[in-house]
PDB file of all heavy atoms in Angstrom:
ATOM      1  N   LYS G 934      63.292  49.049 -50.638  1.00 89.00           N
ATOM      2  CA  LYS G 934      61.964  48.788 -49.958  1.00 89.00           C
ATOM      3  C   LYS G 934      62.138  47.845 -48.737  1.00 89.00           C
ATOM      4  O   LYS G 934      61.292  47.845 -47.845  1.00 89.00           O
ATOM      5  CB  LYS G 934      61.039  48.177 -50.964  1.00 89.00           C
ATOM      6  CG  LYS G 934      60.528  49.281 -51.935  1.00 89.00           C
ATOM      7  CD  LYS G 934      59.409  48.803 -52.813  1.00 89.00           C
ATOM      8  CE  LYS G 934      58.855  50.025 -53.577  1.00 89.00           C
ATOM      9  NZ  LYS G 934      58.206  49.587 -54.777  1.00 89.00           N
ATOM     10  N   ASP G 935      63.238  47.092 -48.678  1.00 94.00           N
ATOM     11  CA  ASP G 935      63.437  46.257 -47.514  1.00 94.00           C
ATOM     12  C   ASP G 935      64.527  46.856 -46.620  1.00 94.00           C
ATOM     13  O   ASP G 935      65.115  47.900 -46.953  1.00 94.00           O
ATOM     14  CB  ASP G 935      63.809  44.830 -47.935  1.00 94.00           C
ATOM     15  CG  ASP G 935      65.051  44.762 -48.721  1.00 94.00           C
ATOM     16  OD1 ASP G 935      65.517  45.806 -49.220  1.00 94.00           O
ATOM     17  OD2 ASP G 935      65.642  43.670 -48.888  1.00 94.00           O
ATOM     18  N   SER G 936      64.825  46.169 -45.543  1.00 93.00           N
ATOM     19  CA  SER G 936      65.964  46.665 -44.734  1.00 93.00           C
ATOM     20  C   SER G 936      66.752  45.468 -44.251  1.00 93.00           C
ATOM     21  O   SER G 936      66.323  44.324 -44.355  1.00 93.00           O
ATOM     22  CB  SER G 936      65.425  47.458 -43.527  1.00 93.00           C
ATOM     23  OG  SER G 936      64.635  46.593 -42.732  1.00 93.00           O
ATOM     24  N   ILE G 937      67.907  45.769 -43.717  1.00 93.00           N
ATOM     25  CA  ILE G 937      68.803  44.690 -43.278  1.00 93.00           C
ATOM     26  C   ILE G 937      69.377  45.066 -41.924  1.00 93.00           C
ATOM     27  O   ILE G 937      69.795  46.213 -41.715  1.00 93.00           O
ATOM     28  CB  ILE G 937      69.842  44.445 -44.388  1.00 93.00           C
ATOM     29  CG1 ILE G 937      70.435  43.072 -44.261  1.00 93.00           C
ATOM     30  CG2 ILE G 937      70.937  45.481 -44.432  1.00 93.00           C
ATOM     31  CD1 ILE G 937      70.992  42.567 -45.574  1.00 93.00           C
ATOM     32  N   ALA G 938      69.386  44.110 -40.996  1.00 91.00           N
ATOM     33  CA  ALA G 938      69.855  44.407 -39.669  1.00 91.00           C
ATOM     34  C   ALA G 938      71.361  44.548 -39.668  1.00 91.00           C
ATOM     35  O   ALA G 938      72.091  43.852 -40.390  1.00 91.00           O
ATOM     36  CB  ALA G 938      69.463  43.286 -38.734  1.00 91.00           C
ATOM     37  N   GLN G 939      71.873  45.475 -38.868  1.00 89.00           N
ATOM     38  CA  GLN G 939      73.297  45.653 -38.700  1.00 89.00           C
ATOM     39  C   GLN G 939      73.852  44.488 -37.870  1.00 89.00           C
ATOM     40  O   GLN G 939      73.252  44.129 -36.866  1.00 89.00           O
ATOM     41  CB  GLN G 939      73.613  46.959 -37.986  1.00 89.00           C
ATOM     42  CG  GLN G 939      73.548  48.179 -38.914  1.00 89.00           C
ATOM     43  CD  GLN G 939      74.751  48.279 -39.839  1.00 89.00           C
ATOM     44  OE1 GLN G 939      75.787  47.648 -39.587  1.00 89.00           O
ATOM     45  NE2 GLN G 939      74.629  49.017 -40.926  1.00 89.00           N
ATOM     46  N   ASP G 940      74.931  43.904 -38.304  1.00 94.00           N
ATOM     47  CA  ASP G 940      75.575  42.791 -37.566  1.00 94.00           C
ATOM     48  C   ASP G 940      77.018  43.208 -37.353  1.00 94.00           C
ATOM     49  O   ASP G 940      77.788  43.346 -38.286  1.00 94.00           O
ATOM     50  CB  ASP G 940      75.431  41.503 -38.423  1.00 94.00           C
ATOM     51  CG  ASP G 940      76.194  40.349 -37.838  1.00 94.00           C
ATOM     52  OD1 ASP G 940      76.753  40.517 -36.721  1.00 94.00           O
ATOM     53  OD2 ASP G 940      76.163  39.284 -38.448  1.00 94.00           O
ATOM     54  N   LYS G 941      77.378  43.339 -36.051  1.00 94.00           N
ATOM     55  CA  LYS G 941      78.742  43.829 -35.744  1.00 94.00           C
ATOM     56  C   LYS G 941      79.803  42.876 -36.243  1.00 94.00           C
ATOM     57  O   LYS G 941      81.001  43.284 -36.379  1.00 94.00           O
ATOM     58  CB  LYS G 941      78.853  44.055 -34.220  1.00 94.00           C
ATOM     59  CG  LYS G 941      78.233  45.349 -33.800  1.00 94.00           C
ATOM     60  CD  LYS G 941      78.608  45.632 -32.352  1.00 94.00           C
ATOM     61  CE  LYS G 941      78.037  46.968 -31.949  1.00 94.00           C
ATOM     62  NZ  LYS G 941      78.139  47.237 -30.539  1.00 94.00           N
ATOM     63  N   ASN G 942      79.455  41.621 -36.404  1.00 95.00           N
ATOM     64  CA  ASN G 942      80.450  40.659 -36.846  1.00 95.00           C
ATOM     65  C   ASN G 942      80.494  40.519 -38.348  1.00 95.00           C
ATOM     66  O   ASN G 942      81.300  39.763 -38.878  1.00 95.00           O
ATOM     67  CB  ASN G 942      80.139  39.288 -36.233  1.00 95.00           C
ATOM     68  CG  ASN G 942      80.283  39.312 -34.743  1.00 95.00           C
ATOM     69  OD1 ASN G 942      81.254  39.870 -34.229  1.00 95.00           O
ATOM     70  ND2 ASN G 942      79.349  38.742 -34.047  1.00 95.00           N
ATOM     71  N   ASN G 943      79.641  41.228 -39.001  1.00 96.00           N
ATOM     72  CA  ASN G 943      79.560  41.068 -40.460  1.00 96.00           C
ATOM     73  C   ASN G 943      79.146  42.451 -41.013  1.00 96.00           C
ATOM     74  O   ASN G 943      78.063  42.624 -41.539  1.00 96.00           O
ATOM     75  CB  ASN G 943      78.517  40.019 -40.821  1.00 96.00           C
ATOM     76  CG  ASN G 943      78.839  39.407 -42.144  1.00 96.00           C
ATOM     77  OD1 ASN G 943      79.829  39.762 -42.785  1.00 96.00           O
ATOM     78  ND2 ASN G 943      77.980  38.518 -42.573  1.00 96.00           N
ATOM     79  N   ARG G 944      80.056  43.363 -40.978  1.00 98.00           N
ATOM     80  CA  ARG G 944      79.782  44.743 -41.337  1.00 98.00           C
ATOM     81  C   ARG G 944      79.520  44.868 -42.855  1.00 98.00           C
ATOM     82  O   ARG G 944      80.110  44.138 -43.647  1.00 98.00           O
ATOM     83  CB  ARG G 944      80.975  45.618 -40.979  1.00 98.00           C
ATOM     84  CG  ARG G 944      81.176  45.790 -39.480  1.00 98.00           C
ATOM     85  CD  ARG G 944      79.985  46.533 -38.909  1.00 98.00           C
ATOM     86  NE  ARG G 944      80.269  47.027 -37.543  1.00 98.00           N
ATOM     87  CZ  ARG G 944      79.411  47.738 -36.840  1.00 98.00           C
ATOM     88  NH1 ARG G 944      78.195  47.990 -37.300  1.00 98.00           N
ATOM     89  NH2 ARG G 944      79.725  48.182 -35.647  1.00 98.00           N
ATOM     90  N   ARG G 945      78.663  45.826 -43.148  1.00 98.00           N
ATOM     91  CA  ARG G 945      78.308  46.006 -44.569  1.00 98.00           C
ATOM     92  C   ARG G 945      78.742  47.438 -45.024  1.00 98.00           C
ATOM     93  O   ARG G 945      78.697  48.378 -44.249  1.00 98.00           O
ATOM     94  CB  ARG G 945      76.823  45.898 -44.757  1.00 98.00           C
ATOM     95  CG  ARG G 945      76.326  44.472 -44.624  1.00 98.00           C
ATOM     96  CD  ARG G 945      74.810  44.377 -44.648  1.00 98.00           C
ATOM     97  NE  ARG G 945      74.388  42.970 -44.588  1.00 98.00           N
ATOM     98  CZ  ARG G 945      74.264  42.186 -45.668  1.00 98.00           C
ATOM     99  NH1 ARG G 945      74.495  42.653 -46.892  1.00 98.00           N
ATOM    100  NH2 ARG G 945      73.929  40.937 -45.555  1.00 98.00           N
ATOM    101  N   GLY G 946      79.089  47.531 -46.293  1.00 97.00           N
ATOM    102  CA  GLY G 946      79.353  48.835 -46.895  1.00 97.00           C
ATOM    103  C   GLY G 946      78.133  49.362 -47.593  1.00 97.00           C
ATOM    104  O   GLY G 946      77.045  48.761 -47.447  1.00 97.00           O
ATOM    105  N   ALA G 947      78.252  50.444 -48.299  1.00 97.00           N
ATOM    106  CA  ALA G 947      77.084  51.001 -49.055  1.00 97.00           C
ATOM    107  C   ALA G 947      77.521  51.453 -50.386  1.00 97.00           C
ATOM    108  O   ALA G 947      78.670  51.867 -50.622  1.00 97.00           O
ATOM    109  CB  ALA G 947      76.568  52.209 -48.251  1.00 97.00           C
ATOM    110  N   LEU G 948      76.649  51.289 -51.373  1.00 97.00           N
ATOM    111  CA  LEU G 948      76.843  51.786 -52.705  1.00 97.00           C
ATOM    112  C   LEU G 948      75.965  53.022 -52.887  1.00 97.00           C
ATOM    113  O   LEU G 948      74.798  52.985 -52.492  1.00 97.00           O
ATOM    114  CB  LEU G 948      76.432  50.729 -53.737  1.00 97.00           C
ATOM    115  CG  LEU G 948      77.118  49.352 -53.654  1.00 97.00           C
ATOM    116  CD1 LEU G 948      76.521  48.379 -54.698  1.00 97.00           C
ATOM    117  CD2 LEU G 948      78.650  49.491 -53.866  1.00 97.00           C
ATOM    118  N   ALA G 949      76.468  54.023 -53.532  1.00 96.00           N
ATOM    119  CA  ALA G 949      75.660  55.220 -53.796  1.00 96.00           C
ATOM    120  C   ALA G 949      74.538  54.876 -54.715  1.00 96.00           C
ATOM    121  O   ALA G 949      74.597  53.911 -55.526  1.00 96.00           O
ATOM    122  CB  ALA G 949      76.521  56.317 -54.398  1.00 96.00           C
ATOM    123  N   ARG G 950      73.487  55.661 -54.630  1.00 95.00           N
ATOM    124  CA  ARG G 950      72.246  55.330 -55.356  1.00 95.00           C
ATOM    125  C   ARG G 950      72.390  55.206 -56.866  1.00 95.00           C
ATOM    126  O   ARG G 950      71.724  54.430 -57.521  1.00 95.00           O
ATOM    127  CB  ARG G 950      71.184  56.412 -55.018  1.00 95.00           C
ATOM    128  CG  ARG G 950      70.669  56.216 -53.591  1.00 95.00           C
ATOM    129  CD  ARG G 950      70.024  57.491 -53.035  1.00 95.00           C
ATOM    130  NE  ARG G 950      69.497  57.245 -51.705  1.00 95.00           N
ATOM    131  CZ  ARG G 950      70.283  57.135 -50.583  1.00 95.00           C
ATOM    132  NH1 ARG G 950      71.557  57.220 -50.724  1.00 95.00           N
ATOM    133  NH2 ARG G 950      69.729  56.901 -49.426  1.00 95.00           N
ATOM    134  N   ALA G 951      73.284  56.002 -57.436  1.00 90.00           N
ATOM    135  CA  ALA G 951      73.466  55.971 -58.880  1.00 90.00           C
ATOM    136  C   ALA G 951      74.056  54.641 -59.352  1.00 90.00           C
ATOM    137  O   ALA G 951      74.153  54.434 -60.569  1.00 90.00           O
ATOM    138  CB  ALA G 951      74.338  57.128 -59.350  1.00 90.00           C
ATOM    139  N   SER G 952      74.408  53.760 -58.445  1.00 92.00           N
ATOM    140  CA  SER G 952      74.895  52.443 -58.834  1.00 92.00           C
ATOM    141  C   SER G 952      73.883  51.322 -58.566  1.00 92.00           C
ATOM    142  O   SER G 952      74.206  50.188 -58.756  1.00 92.00           O
ATOM    143  CB  SER G 952      76.242  52.168 -58.148  1.00 92.00           C
ATOM    144  OG  SER G 952      76.702  50.938 -58.534  1.00 92.00           O
ATOM    145  N   TRP G 953      72.706  51.704 -58.138  1.00 92.00           N
ATOM    146  CA  TRP G 953      71.737  50.673 -57.803  1.00 92.00           C
ATOM    147  C   TRP G 953      71.125  50.091 -59.051  1.00 92.00           C
ATOM    148  O   TRP G 953      70.706  50.777 -59.999  1.00 92.00           O
ATOM    149  CB  TRP G 953      70.617  51.244 -56.938  1.00 92.00           C
ATOM    150  CG  TRP G 953      71.038  51.630 -55.558  1.00 92.00           C
ATOM    151  CD1 TRP G 953      72.277  51.618 -55.043  1.00 92.00           C
ATOM    152  CD2 TRP G 953      70.190  52.174 -54.543  1.00 92.00           C
ATOM    153  NE1 TRP G 953      72.301  52.064 -53.770  1.00 92.00           N
ATOM    154  CE2 TRP G 953      71.012  52.426 -53.406  1.00 92.00           C
ATOM    155  CE3 TRP G 953      68.836  52.436 -54.438  1.00 92.00           C
ATOM    156  CZ2 TRP G 953      70.495  52.935 -52.217  1.00 92.00           C
ATOM    157  CZ3 TRP G 953      68.312  52.958 -53.274  1.00 92.00           C
ATOM    158  CH2 TRP G 953      69.124  53.207 -52.180  1.00 92.00           C
ATOM    159  N   GLY G 954      71.042  48.760 -59.059  1.00 91.00           N
ATOM    160  CA  GLY G 954      70.326  48.091 -60.166  1.00 91.00           C
ATOM    161  C   GLY G 954      71.235  47.920 -61.382  1.00 91.00           C
ATOM    162  O   GLY G 954      72.464  48.023 -61.348  1.00 91.00           O
ATOM    163  N   ILE G 955      70.569  47.633 -62.546  1.00 91.00           N
ATOM    164  CA  ILE G 955      71.311  47.454 -63.796  1.00 91.00           C
ATOM    165  C   ILE G 955      71.992  48.796 -64.156  1.00 91.00           C
ATOM    166  O   ILE G 955      71.412  49.830 -64.046  1.00 91.00           O
ATOM    167  CB  ILE G 955      70.330  47.107 -64.939  1.00 91.00           C
ATOM    168  CG1 ILE G 955      69.447  45.885 -64.577  1.00 91.00           C
ATOM    169  CG2 ILE G 955      71.024  46.926 -66.266  1.00 91.00           C
ATOM    170  CD1 ILE G 955      70.093  44.587 -64.755  1.00 91.00           C
ATOM    171  N   ASP G 956      73.228  48.659 -64.544  1.00 92.00           N
ATOM    172  CA  ASP G 956      73.993  49.826 -64.957  1.00 92.00           C
ATOM    173  C   ASP G 956      73.169  50.795 -65.807  1.00 92.00           C
ATOM    174  O   ASP G 956      72.701  50.430 -66.886  1.00 92.00           O
ATOM    175  CB  ASP G 956      75.264  49.353 -65.727  1.00 92.00           C
ATOM    176  CG  ASP G 956      76.225  50.481 -66.067  1.00 92.00           C
ATOM    177  OD1 ASP G 956      75.786  51.656 -66.121  1.00 92.00           O
ATOM    178  OD2 ASP G 956      77.390  50.150 -66.286  1.00 92.00           O
ATOM    179  N   TYR G 957      73.015  52.046 -65.362  1.00 93.00           N
ATOM    180  CA  TYR G 957      72.122  52.989 -66.055  1.00 93.00           C
ATOM    181  C   TYR G 957      72.565  53.301 -67.447  1.00 93.00           C
ATOM    182  O   TYR G 957      71.731  53.629 -68.322  1.00 93.00           O
ATOM    183  CB  TYR G 957      71.946  54.277 -65.270  1.00 93.00           C
ATOM    184  CG  TYR G 957      73.230  55.093 -65.158  1.00 93.00           C
ATOM    185  CD1 TYR G 957      73.493  56.101 -66.088  1.00 93.00           C
ATOM    186  CD2 TYR G 957      74.159  54.916 -64.123  1.00 93.00           C
ATOM    187  CE1 TYR G 957      74.678  56.876 -65.978  1.00 93.00           C
ATOM    188  CE2 TYR G 957      75.298  55.698 -64.026  1.00 93.00           C
ATOM    189  CZ  TYR G 957      75.553  56.650 -64.972  1.00 93.00           C
ATOM    190  OH  TYR G 957      76.689  57.416 -64.901  1.00 93.00           O
ATOM    191  N   HIS G 958      73.799  53.106 -67.802  1.00 92.00           N
ATOM    192  CA  HIS G 958      74.247  53.364 -69.174  1.00 92.00           C
ATOM    193  C   HIS G 958      73.473  52.441 -70.116  1.00 92.00           C
ATOM    194  O   HIS G 958      73.041  52.842 -71.191  1.00 92.00           O
ATOM    195  CB  HIS G 958      75.762  53.079 -69.335  1.00 92.00           C
ATOM    196  CG  HIS G 958      76.637  53.945 -68.507  1.00 92.00           C
ATOM    197  ND1 HIS G 958      76.926  53.709 -67.206  1.00 92.00           N
ATOM    198  CD2 HIS G 958      77.230  55.139 -68.789  1.00 92.00           C
ATOM    199  CE1 HIS G 958      77.676  54.661 -66.725  1.00 92.00           C
ATOM    200  NE2 HIS G 958      77.885  55.554 -67.662  1.00 92.00           N
ATOM    201  N   HIS G 959      73.322  51.137 -69.699  1.00 93.00           N
ATOM    202  CA  HIS G 959      72.557  50.216 -70.555  1.00 93.00           C
ATOM    203  C   HIS G 959      71.110  50.611 -70.627  1.00 93.00           C
ATOM    204  O   HIS G 959      70.511  50.539 -71.700  1.00 93.00           O
ATOM    205  CB  HIS G 959      72.638  48.813 -69.952  1.00 93.00           C
ATOM    206  CG  HIS G 959      74.029  48.264 -69.823  1.00 93.00           C
ATOM    207  ND1 HIS G 959      74.940  48.284 -70.899  1.00 93.00           N
ATOM    208  CD2 HIS G 959      74.760  47.808 -68.760  1.00 93.00           C
ATOM    209  CE1 HIS G 959      76.088  47.808 -70.454  1.00 93.00           C
ATOM    210  NE2 HIS G 959      76.026  47.510 -69.182  1.00 93.00           N
ATOM    211  N   ILE G 960      70.524  51.005 -69.533  1.00 95.00           N
ATOM    212  CA  ILE G 960      69.082  51.339 -69.533  1.00 95.00           C
ATOM    213  C   ILE G 960      68.836  52.548 -70.416  1.00 95.00           C
ATOM    214  O   ILE G 960      67.895  52.541 -71.247  1.00 95.00           O
ATOM    215  CB  ILE G 960      68.603  51.631 -68.079  1.00 95.00           C
ATOM    216  CG1 ILE G 960      68.882  50.471 -67.139  1.00 95.00           C
ATOM    217  CG2 ILE G 960      67.118  51.970 -68.076  1.00 95.00           C
ATOM    218  CD1 ILE G 960      68.498  50.669 -65.701  1.00 95.00           C
ATOM    219  N   LEU G 961      69.667  53.577 -70.289  1.00 96.00           N
ATOM    220  CA  LEU G 961      69.463  54.783 -71.102  1.00 96.00           C
ATOM    221  C   LEU G 961      69.696  54.526 -72.568  1.00 96.00           C
ATOM    222  O   LEU G 961      68.971  54.995 -73.418  1.00 96.00           O
ATOM    223  CB  LEU G 961      70.372  55.939 -70.610  1.00 96.00           C
ATOM    224  CG  LEU G 961      69.663  56.880 -69.692  1.00 96.00           C
ATOM    225  CD1 LEU G 961      69.558  56.298 -68.232  1.00 96.00           C
ATOM    226  CD2 LEU G 961      70.298  58.244 -69.639  1.00 96.00           C
ATOM    227  N   ARG G 962      70.743  53.726 -72.840  1.00 96.00           N
ATOM    228  CA  ARG G 962      71.017  53.453 -74.255  1.00 96.00           C
ATOM    229  C   ARG G 962      69.828  52.725 -74.879  1.00 96.00           C
ATOM    230  O   ARG G 962      69.421  53.004 -76.009  1.00 96.00           O
ATOM    231  CB  ARG G 962      72.270  52.564 -74.388  1.00 96.00           C
ATOM    232  CG  ARG G 962      73.505  53.386 -74.431  1.00 96.00           C
ATOM    233  CD  ARG G 962      74.752  52.548 -74.814  1.00 96.00           C
ATOM    234  NE  ARG G 962      75.897  53.212 -74.243  1.00 96.00           N
ATOM    235  CZ  ARG G 962      76.648  52.699 -73.241  1.00 96.00           C
ATOM    236  NH1 ARG G 962      76.392  51.535 -72.780  1.00 96.00           N
ATOM    237  NH2 ARG G 962      77.671  53.400 -72.778  1.00 96.00           N
TER     238      ARG G 962
END
Side-chain angles (χ1 to χ4, degrees):
K934 287 188 171 156
D935 61 344
S936 61
I937 201 155
Q939 280 286 342
D940 174 1
K941 280 189 175 170
N942 295 316
N943 206 1
R944 292 294 196 180
R945 289 174 176 273
L948 303 175
R950 287 159 179 74
S952 181
W953 291 4
I955 306 279
D956 186 337
Y957 66 91
H958 298 86
H959 301 306
I960 304 176
L961 263 80
R962 274 190 207 112

